[in-house]
């Protein structure tokens, strides 16, 4: 049934996306209200010097809005409030480093726009202790409790630590990625996990402070989130994304933040490629 729904959505998108036309409701408003939490560089953050909202998602949102002939009003709300704000109509869409997960698709639709993954890292002074991912077995590792990382790390631990007779990860849910990094610096954690797209920026911002260990242990798409009640808006955004992919503007945004390797080759809705 779900495959049929996705196929129908893809067909609808193929028929309508070329128009890149906003539904009348949003044209009349003259803007899109977009949920964002600016604490996840380089995806979204405030420039320390100017307090200006910057990042991949910010640049992408502006490019999509321009393509659609409208404006963006950023609504800064807590990540845990985003789904309820979307489904009650407080915001029109979510563009804030949100992973397109099967569980989230039960209440939301996604237009996917980049690749991501959960990545282990440690402090630079302890990098020689962690040559492989399984060196974290039995160690205390922190990650934001508001993300999917704790569940994903537990599954990884079961398959790679416990299944091989090694002690399980001691997973600590933190108040966010910044809190995990603080605890890592304080020596309260042996390692941490956050999105692979954030770590290159972090290493340039705080040189000789952290060390990435191995490759990401999950693969996931980041998506722009929509209420299931607004498929027309979803398809309009997907059409705009297709246009900026074709023009090269999409690639340029990711290259600006050294994330060219995270780009997608085409538009995807709920993890499925569409034409």
């Amino acid at each position: 049934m779900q495959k049929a729904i996705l196929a129908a959505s893809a067909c609808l998108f193929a028929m309508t996306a070329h128009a890149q036309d906003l539904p009348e409701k949003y044209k009349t408003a003259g803007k899109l209200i977009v949920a964002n939490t600016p604490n996840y560089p380089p995806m979204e953050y405030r420039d320390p010097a100017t307090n200006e909202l910057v990042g991949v998602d910010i640049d992408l949102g502006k490019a999509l809005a321009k393509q659609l002939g409208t404006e963006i009003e950023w609504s800064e709300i807590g990540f845990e409030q985003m789904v309820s704000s979307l489904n009650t109509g407080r915001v029109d869409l979510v563009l804030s480093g949100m992973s397109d997960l099967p569980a989230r698709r039960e209440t939301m639709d996604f237009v996917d726009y980049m690749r991501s993954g959960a990545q282990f890292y440690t402090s630079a002074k302890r990098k020689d202790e962690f040559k492989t991912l399984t060196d974290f077995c039995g160690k205390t590792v922190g990650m934001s409790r508001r993300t999917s990382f704790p569940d994903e790390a537990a599954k990884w631990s079961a398959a790679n630590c416990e299944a091989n007779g090694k002690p399980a990860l001691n997973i600590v849910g933190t108040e966010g990625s910044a809190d995990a990094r603080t605890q890592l610096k304080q020596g309260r954690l042996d390692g941490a996990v956050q999105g692979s797209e954030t770590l290159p920026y972090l290493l340039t911002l705080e040189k000789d402070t952290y060390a990435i260990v191995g490759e990401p242990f999950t693969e996931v798409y980041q998506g722009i989130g929509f209420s299931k009640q607004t498929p027309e808006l979803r398809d309009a955004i997907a059409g705009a994304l297709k246009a900026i992919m074709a023009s090269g503007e999409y690639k340029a945004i990711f290259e600006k933040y050294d994330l060219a390797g995270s780009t997608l080759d085409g538009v995807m809705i709920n993890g499925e490629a569409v034409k």
Side-chain angles (χ1 to χ4, degrees):
M1 181 66 179
Q2 185 179 18
K3 291 282 187 182
I5 293 171
L6 287 171
S9 294
C11 181
L12 174 64
F13 170 73
M15 292 187 293
T16 63
H18 70 278
Q20 299 149 25
D21 202 16
L22 276 175
E24 195 60 39
K25 169 185 174 181
Y26 307 102
K27 286 183 182 178
T28 301
K31 64 183 179 182
L32 293 170
I33 302 175
V34 182
N36 185 273
T37 304
N39 64 356
Y40 198 55
M43 301 309 295
E44 45 265 320
Y45 61 106
R46 288 198 174 276
D47 186 314
T50 65
N51 203 40
E52 180 185 2
L53 199 59
V54 294
V56 174
D57 287 341
I58 308 306
D59 288 0
L60 184 65
K62 291 177 179 177
L64 292 171
K66 182 179 179 181
Q67 183 68 35
L68 290 165
T70 192
E71 300 292 331
I72 278 189
E73 178 182 310
W74 298 103
S75 178
E76 295 184 21
I77 58 177
F79 197 83
E80 64 280 358
Q81 298 173 323
M82 287 187 174
V83 176
S84 61
S85 295
L86 183 67
N87 289 323
T88 57
R90 179 182 168 191
V91 300
D92 299 318
L93 55 95
V94 174
L95 181 51
S96 190
M98 181 175 280
S99 298
D100 174 4
L101 304 175
R104 287 179 177 155
R105 292 178 200 155
E106 294 177 7
T107 57
M108 302 172 65
D109 282 336
F110 288 92
V111 172
D112 302 322
Y113 63 95
M114 69 173 287
R115 292 184 179 87
S116 179
Q119 176 74 63
F120 282 107
Y121 65 103
T122 188
S123 59
K125 64 184 179 182
R126 297 187 62 184
K127 63 181 180 181
D128 291 337
E129 298 177 43
F130 300 97
K131 297 295 187 183
T132 66
L133 298 189
T134 53
D135 290 334
F136 284 105
C137 294
K139 302 298 185 180
T140 300
V141 181
M143 58 208 75
S144 172
R145 63 168 58 95
R146 296 190 291 268
T147 69
S148 59
F149 296 153
D151 286 343
E152 291 165 345
K155 290 176 183 177
W156 179 89
S157 177
N160 295 276
C161 297
E162 293 102 297
N164 294 313
K166 297 182 179 182
L169 284 178
N170 177 23
I171 297 170
V172 175
T174 65
E175 290 302 317
S177 298
D179 181 31
R181 294 194 296 273
T182 297
Q183 293 193 48
L184 185 61
K185 290 176 184 176
Q186 294 171 342
R188 296 167 63 188
L189 299 174
D190 300 305
V193 170
Q194 65 184 66
S196 56
E197 70 275 9
T198 67
L199 288 169
Y201 173 83
L202 184 63
L203 265 59
T204 61
L205 192 66
E206 299 184 69
K207 294 184 183 299
D208 303 318
T209 303
Y210 309 104
I212 295 172
V213 181
E215 298 295 323
F217 63 91
T218 66
E219 184 175 85
V220 68
Y221 296 119
Q222 300 283 23
I224 306 170
F226 302 85
S227 166
K228 286 191 173 292
Q229 305 305 312
T230 60
E232 297 87 358
L233 176 59
R234 176 202 66 195
D235 290 344
I237 293 290
L241 179 59
K242 182 178 181 180
I244 66 171
M245 282 179 168
S247 72
E249 188 173 7
Y250 164 82
K251 184 179 179 182
I253 289 169
F254 283 82
E255 288 178 340
K256 175 182 175 181
Y257 295 95
D258 297 320
L259 289 175
S262 298
T263 58
L264 300 181
D265 295 329
V267 176
M268 305 182 76
I269 293 177
N270 294 330
E272 298 284 333
V274 294
K275 296 180 180 179

